[in-house]
Amino acid sequence: MLNAARNLRKRGVLGVNERNAQMIMKYNPRHLYPRVDNKVLTKELALTAGMAVPELYGLIGHQSELRNLSKIIGERDSFVIKPAHGSGGDGIIVVTGRSARKRECFRLASGVLVMESELQYHTSNVVGGQYSLGGNPDTALVEYCVEFDPIFAEVSYQGVPDIRVIVYRGYPVMAMVRLPTRMSGGKANLHQGAVGAGIDLGTGRTLGGVLDNAVVDEHPDTGALIAGLQIPGWNFILESAARGLEVTGLGYLGVDIVIDRHHGPLILEMNARPGLNIQIANCMGLSGRIARVDKIQGDAAAPDARAKFARREFSATSSLS
Ligand SMILES: Nc1ncnc2c1ncn2[C@@H]1O[C@H](COP(=O)(O)OP(=O)(O)O)[C@@H](O)[C@H]1O
Ligand SMILES: [Mg+2]
């Protein structure tokens, strides 16, 4: 691991201080943060921009609205409950079905069965601010549960993988796919124990994986190889990510996209302080790519042109990558 870290430094790895000072302070004005820190607002903005998102079934913004949960769920078999101001996968419940014998019992991604009263209790904690920054009162979203594209079946365990694209001044500069594991409980957050796999921006094919900062070749639960997967609709994904600049106004952004088997790529969320271990998953630092974008100063270019630039300049085989 130490060797890996040393090698990465040589490869222009961006550190936290540098990221904060040079990207976040410079390109992410504070007043725009709510656009990405509040998942309800992000959804609205993305929809207004014509981007697809998981359908919102309903909101619970106050304890007195808890009784609406039953109505929002209705006869649905699957849905997700999450805090509007959550992060790192905390407070998210992924309901994938109901018990065949007892419809009032819901099955979670982990396979565990829970009663509706337990979902209510959880939602009450979300609204109470248990998962929001600073413990502030929050809103719970109930939304469509994404059914992942079959391409990921071999490399995910009980959950939906998401694709993270780092977008700098509107240009995609690095990407990875995060694959849920038994440990991550149906969520694709690295801190919950998901595997991250780098993606070749040029082709949309996965490179090697990383689990807890260590390099892995196989998915820990399924044993399937992580490298060499072709992400479907790659051009569209890069173009959607690039549009994150227009949607949020943020110059340094992590755009998270999931691929639904019925609806195709959907914007799941966006992040103004995306983590840096994407560099480990790609065995590549961000600094060189950031400098390359700064040099062309093409902020005026349209999203599709910016995505095209990224495919050309930052492919795994490109000398400048
Ligand atoms: N609508 C959904 N359908 C299926 N899985 C979801 C859904 N929303 C979230 N998840 C799972 O939970 C993870 C975290 O969700 P996300 O909305 O990105 O919140 P956070 O800000 O906590 O990361 C996702 O990466 C995904 O694996
Ligand atoms: Mg996320």
Side-chain angles (χ1 to χ4, degrees):
M1 185 49 225
L2 269 180
N3 269 344
R6 212 172 295 137
N7 281 341
L8 280 173
R9 212 161 300 131
K10 265 196 262 158
R11 299 188 130 215
V13 162
L14 192 70
V16 173
N17 294 336
E18 221 178 327
R19 176 199 68 174
N20 292 349
Q22 290 180 20
M23 324 285 202
I24 297 184
M25 297 276 284
K26 209 153 145 194
Y27 293 110
N28 290 355
R30 248 183 190 283
H31 72 278
L32 297 180
Y33 276 26
R35 295 187 179 179
V36 291
D37 285 347
N38 178 348
K39 291 188 167 69
V40 183
L41 191 52
T42 311
K43 233 190 232 305
E44 278 170 14
L45 289 169
L47 279 174
T48 307
M51 298 161 102
V53 299
E55 184 191 344
L56 182 66
Y57 292 154
L59 295 174
I60 301 206
H62 199 269
Q63 301 290 355
S64 65
E65 292 164 17
L66 273 177
R67 56 194 145 85
N68 294 347
L69 185 64
S70 263
K71 240 189 287 158
I72 295 172
I73 294 173
E75 284 304 305
R76 301 179 199 284
D77 286 333
S78 65
F79 51 89
V80 168
I81 303 177
K82 67 166 84 168
H85 289 89
S87 64
D90 287 339
I92 298 182
I93 284 196
V94 181
V95 176
T96 54
R98 300 197 188 221
S99 155
R101 262 177 294 146
K102 226 171 154 200
R103 270 193 70 74
E104 59 274 31
C105 272
F106 295 89
R107 191 171 296 284
L108 306 186
S110 60
V112 171
L113 284 171
V114 299
M115 301 292 292
E116 188 170 319
S117 58
E118 292 173 82
L119 296 181
Q120 281 224 5
Y121 179 70
H122 177 81
T123 308
S124 164
N125 286 338
V126 169
V127 174
Q130 188 166 324
Y131 306 102
S132 72
L133 205 67
N136 292 320
D138 203 358
T139 293
L141 288 84
V142 185
E143 69 178 20
Y144 170 74
C145 180
V146 174
E147 290 179 33
F148 66 79
D149 190 284
I151 176 93
F152 297 117
E154 294 286 305
V155 287
S156 339
Y157 188 82
Q158 297 176 340
V160 178
D162 70 10
I163 294 163
R164 154 72 53 92
V165 184
I166 302 286
V167 181
Y168 175 64
R169 301 177 76 181
Y171 289 82
V173 286
M174 202 169 269
M176 70 173 161
V177 56
R178 298 178 294 183
L179 308 164
T181 61
R182 181 193 299 266
M183 221 171 77
S184 72
K187 288 168 277 194
N189 301 83
L190 298 186
H191 289 300
Q192 306 268 353
V195 172
I199 303 178
D200 176 1
L201 286 196
T203 61
R205 287 182 89 82
T206 53
L207 308 164
V210 58
L211 177 60
D212 269 342
N213 290 343
V215 172
V216 289
D217 295 327
E218 296 168 357
H219 189 281
D221 305 311
T222 69
L225 279 180
I226 290 166
L229 281 177
Q230 177 65 48
I231 309 279
W234 184 239
N235 289 354
F236 181 78
I237 288 175
L238 276 186
E239 286 174 19
S240 305
R243 286 170 69 192
L245 170 67
E246 280 79 8
V247 174
T248 64
L250 297 167
Y252 183 65
L253 192 65
V255 180
D256 293 353
I257 294 169
V258 287
I259 306 180
D260 184 83
R261 68 166 74 206
H262 308 294
H263 306 284
L266 306 173
I267 304 285
L268 191 59
E269 68 153 341
M270 299 196 237
N271 203 304
R273 314 165 203 80
L276 292 165
N277 33 17
I278 190 167
Q279 301 174 107
I280 303 177
N282 279 277
C283 282
M284 170 69 61
L286 277 163
S287 302
R289 296 184 180 190
I290 300 269
R292 181 83 183 95
V293 171
D294 281 339
K295 213 178 207 166
I296 57 157
Q297 300 218 324
D299 278 2
D304 55 343
R306 302 195 304 257
K308 194 168 169 199
F309 174 89
R311 285 200 303 276
R312 191 181 64 229
E313 301 287 325
F314 304 140
S315 76
T317 49
S318 151
S319 57
L320 273 165
S321 70

